[in-house]
Amino acid sequence: MAHQRIGEILVTAGAAKPAAVEQALAQQQSEGGLLGEILHRAHACTEDDVLRALGVQLGMPFLADFPVAEMDADLAAKVPISFAKQHRVMPLRREGDTVLVATADPLDVGAIDDVRALLGQDVAPVLLPNLKLMEAINHVYGRKQDAGNLGDGESGEDEGAAEELVDILDVNDEAPIIRWVNALMFNAVKERASDIHIEPGEKEVMVRYRIDGVLYETRRAPRQFIPSIISRVKIMAGLNIAEKRLPQDGRIRRKIAGKDIDMRVATAPTVKGGERITIRLLDRESVLHDLADIGFGDDHLTQMNELITRPHGILLVTGPTGSGKTTTLYACLAKINSPDLNILTIEDPVEYQLDGISQVAVNDKIDLTFSSGLRSFLRHDPDVIMVGEIRDLETAEIAIQASLTGHLVLSTIHTNDAAGAITRLVDLGVQPFLVASSLMALLAQRLVRRLCRECREAYRPSEFDLSSLGLDPDDFFAGRLRRVRFKGASDPPPGMLYRAREGGCPACLAAGYKGRTAIYELLMIDDRIRQLTIKNTDAGTIKKAATQVGMRTLREDGAQKVLAGMTSAAEVLMITTGDSE
């Protein structure tokens, strides 16, 4: 059989278009490089498509995934983690006299030969996507990192570790405090925690993780170690270890299990004779989601894509602290980010750095506020401006002026629902006619926990459960309800809903829920809403008018996610307590 070319394989499989392959071949001829990489960089096909095609070309099996529970830890121990990560290669398990070895780079035959030498056995290479391979590497080496309790020993503060961006898994320090703090951070990332709380008590220090919005106690240490633990975290964050009476703020940037993690550190003195520390973990690699991935239904997605491609106007995202507003704004920016747009942001603080976008952090000490930063932006010829939050009249007026002079403005404001943002702007002192003429839409949101797909259980809901969600029981059991489509959702069986299983499973850490998604209330500003705004109408009337023309309230959007099997009725009812109308 003739040797097939990678481009031909991709076209035959329907993974790439012939025109894209021709263009990539021309680029390869002029600039060099691998055709698969050129196509992937041009978004003509996915990385998995290229790897699958290489498998066909080289006669190697392709695995879309590999269960980490089936990995042989003894085999993995023979291959250094630095080598495994650098060459993207990993032994998986024994199969007879050979060892199954995963690689994400089948052209690196030297690395496969080295693994053969390290293991002292014959190997059979298989192709595994890069992301899945890195997850497997981090998982198997992460088992060794899970440190136990602190015992007696030196606090061992290490002077120079503050800035070097080395993966915590690669650190092999013997000092117990350093290993304990590293294990704390590693486990927080492994368990998807958003915050670490280190709190001194009467007899011991307690550590809690916030996972999917809920606090869980994870470990304790004897009180004698409190000063050493606090000093270690302060050194990592570049804080003053001698200052114990005043609150301090700092940042830590570390690689943890292959992920680039930013940590915001805040300390505060307590009356119990020690400082408490809160560490907010920001995963720089996982914040950029597509709009479809963060919970928008097909109808909302169409409206959002239309809004963020308009040349001017204001889109306001509303909700309490921690409701995912920043993630939504970043998803919008990532969607429209392109070389032909000048995008500027002013944030407090800049949580994630985005390529191709100029980001400025608020600094009150030098009078760099939202309003002053926004005013200066207008002299930088922007197409799109993102303002972290509209807090005062000056910021609101400049944002409105920017939108009226041909700029797209994205921002957030603190209100409970979408309609409340209109009255909030008027309360700040903005003229109602300016609000009406500049606003394009208002998006209210909350975060709800997603049911664990491994252990969720189907049940037949009562009529009361359905009515509480605003669903008609007769229509539900007859299958007549209109359903919104969500990416990645799988509907429960007819006449059933899903709920969290009590006691959960290992995959969700016994919580019954794994991860979060958002529920939305998208209020489009049409002529009727504009007229009500100009008349300075109350938020309740505006909301009622919007629902009459098809706006889904937060509870109604939550109900659609319950119907789609994404979350539970109990979760939606708890999060939308104030939205029961």
Side-chain angles (χ1 to χ4, degrees), residues 182-343:
N182 283 353
L184 206 64
M185 294 174 177
F186 170 76
N187 285 322
V189 172
K190 190 168 96 174
E191 295 178 14
R192 303 173 294 100
S194 60
D195 301 86
I196 305 171
H197 294 262
I198 304 172
E199 305 164 43
E202 297 289 343
K203 296 179 181 176
E204 52 196 352
V205 58
M206 180 172 71
V207 179
R208 295 189 291 172
Y209 292 161
R210 189 177 293 279
I211 303 170
D212 296 335
V214 179
L215 276 172
Y216 298 92
E217 184 183 329
T218 59
R219 61 179 65 193
R220 292 172 179 256
R223 184 177 171 81
Q224 72 204 64
F225 292 106
I226 291 175
S228 302
I229 292 167
I230 290 169
S231 295
R232 175 61 193 155
V233 176
K234 281 185 173 181
I235 285 172
M236 294 175 79
L239 301 179
N240 181 359
I241 61 170
E243 179 55 74
K244 296 177 170 64
R245 300 165 301 166
L246 292 173
Q248 296 185 67
D249 294 310
R251 296 189 86 135
I252 302 171
R253 186 179 166 197
R254 282 287 187 277
K255 260 201 175 335
I256 301 178
K259 295 182 177 181
D260 199 356
I261 305 290
D262 264 347
M263 289 173 267
R264 292 213 304 267
V265 179
T267 73
T270 68
V271 294
K272 290 180 180 174
E275 294 170 275
R276 68 159 288 144
I277 293 180
T278 303
I279 304 172
R280 164 66 58 90
L281 289 94
L282 305 166
D283 184 350
R284 297 155 65 87
E285 294 166 12
S286 70
V287 66
L288 287 185
H289 299 284
D290 188 77
L291 286 170
D293 295 327
I294 57 176
F296 283 104
D298 49 6
D299 53 347
H300 281 167
L301 200 55
T302 303
Q303 290 173 307
M304 286 296 293
N305 285 332
E306 190 269 325
L307 286 168
I308 61 178
T309 50
R310 288 188 189 179
H312 56 83
I314 298 181
L315 170 64
L316 282 184
V317 183
T318 84
T321 303
S323 58
K325 300 188 296 295
T326 304
T327 300
T328 299
L329 288 180
Y330 279 167
C332 292
L333 292 180
K335 182 80 175 177
I336 59 176
N337 188 15
S338 63
D340 59 338
L341 283 182
N342 182 22
I343 303 176

Side-chain angles (χ1 to χ4, degrees), residues 12-224:
T12 304
K17 294 180 179 175
V21 173
E22 289 296 326
Q23 191 176 348
L25 283 168
Q27 186 178 336
Q28 184 187 38
Q29 204 163 4
S30 61
E31 301 174 13
L34 297 170
L35 185 69
E37 288 183 5
I38 295 169
L39 285 165
H40 175 53
R41 280 199 305 270
H43 304 293
C45 63
T46 67
E47 194 175 356
D48 285 12
D49 290 333
V50 174
L51 202 60
R52 198 177 275 109
L54 278 169
V56 172
Q57 188 184 52
L58 302 172
M60 288 186 189
F62 173 84
L63 302 178
D65 199 356
F66 187 84
V68 288
E70 295 180 18
M71 289 185 65
D72 190 326
D74 293 334
L75 284 174
K78 296 179 181 179
V79 179
I81 183 174
S82 53
F83 179 87
K85 286 187 172 182
Q86 182 184 347
H87 295 282
R88 298 186 293 166
V89 63
M90 186 72 192
L92 297 176
R93 67 178 176 216
R94 285 186 175 84
E95 289 196 349
D97 296 331
T98 61
V99 175
L100 208 62
V101 174
T103 176
D105 185 5
L107 302 179
D108 189 357
V109 289
I112 296 170
D113 288 340
D114 289 341
V115 172
R116 184 182 289 112
L118 285 167
L119 299 176
Q121 279 184 269
D122 197 19
V123 300
V126 295
L127 303 181
L128 193 65
N130 189 53
L131 185 63
K132 296 295 181 185
L133 183 59
M134 286 302 168
E135 281 178 6
I137 291 171
N138 288 324
H139 177 86
V140 75
Y141 288 102
R143 292 176 195 165
K144 298 186 290 183
Q145 181 69 21
D146 196 357
N149 294 326
L150 279 170
D152 294 329
E154 309 246 340
S155 67
E157 287 172 12
D158 127 63
E159 302 94 56
E163 293 303 323
E164 193 179 352
L165 203 62
V166 177
D167 197 318
I168 275 178
L169 281 176
D170 297 334
V171 175
N172 217 357
D173 206 296
E174 293 304 312
I177 293 292
I178 293 174
R179 280 191 285 112
W180 193 84
V181 172
N182 283 353
L184 206 64
M185 294 174 177
F186 170 76
N187 285 322
V189 172
K190 190 168 96 174
E191 295 178 14
R192 303 173 294 100
S194 60
D195 301 86
I196 305 171
H197 294 262
I198 304 172
E199 305 164 43
E202 297 289 343
K203 296 179 181 176
E204 52 196 352
V205 58
M206 180 172 71
V207 179
R208 295 189 291 172
Y209 292 161
R210 189 177 293 279
I211 303 170
D212 296 335
V214 179
L215 276 172
Y216 298 92
E217 184 183 329
T218 59
R219 61 179 65 193
R220 292 172 179 256
R223 184 177 171 81
Q224 72 204 64

Side-chain angles (χ1 to χ4, degrees), residues 355-368:
D355 291 335
I357 294 174
S358 300
Q359 295 170 274
V360 177
V362 165
N363 188 341
D364 291 326
K365 292 176 186 172
I366 57 171
D367 203 30
L368 175 53

Side-chain angles (χ1 to χ4, degrees), residues 499-570:
R499 65 185 172 197
R501 191 176 83 191
E502 198 163 341
C505 69
C508 61
L509 306 172
Y513 296 92
K514 186 178 180 182
R516 289 191 287 180
T517 189
I519 55 175
Y520 298 100
E521 182 175 284
L522 181 57
L523 196 163
M524 302 292 288
I525 307 295
D526 58 16
D527 290 339
R528 187 177 179 191
I529 302 298
R530 281 195 187 91
Q531 290 302 318
L532 291 171
T533 304
I534 291 169
K535 292 174 186 172
N536 204 5
T537 312
D538 66 277
T541 306
I542 292 172
K543 182 174 182 176
K544 190 175 179 181
T547 54
Q548 286 171 353
V549 291
M551 181 188 83
R552 282 203 305 281
T553 65
L554 287 166
R555 177 161 292 187
E556 287 167 350
D557 194 52
Q560 286 294 334
K561 287 183 170 67
V562 173
L563 291 175
M566 296 169 73
T567 188
S568 66

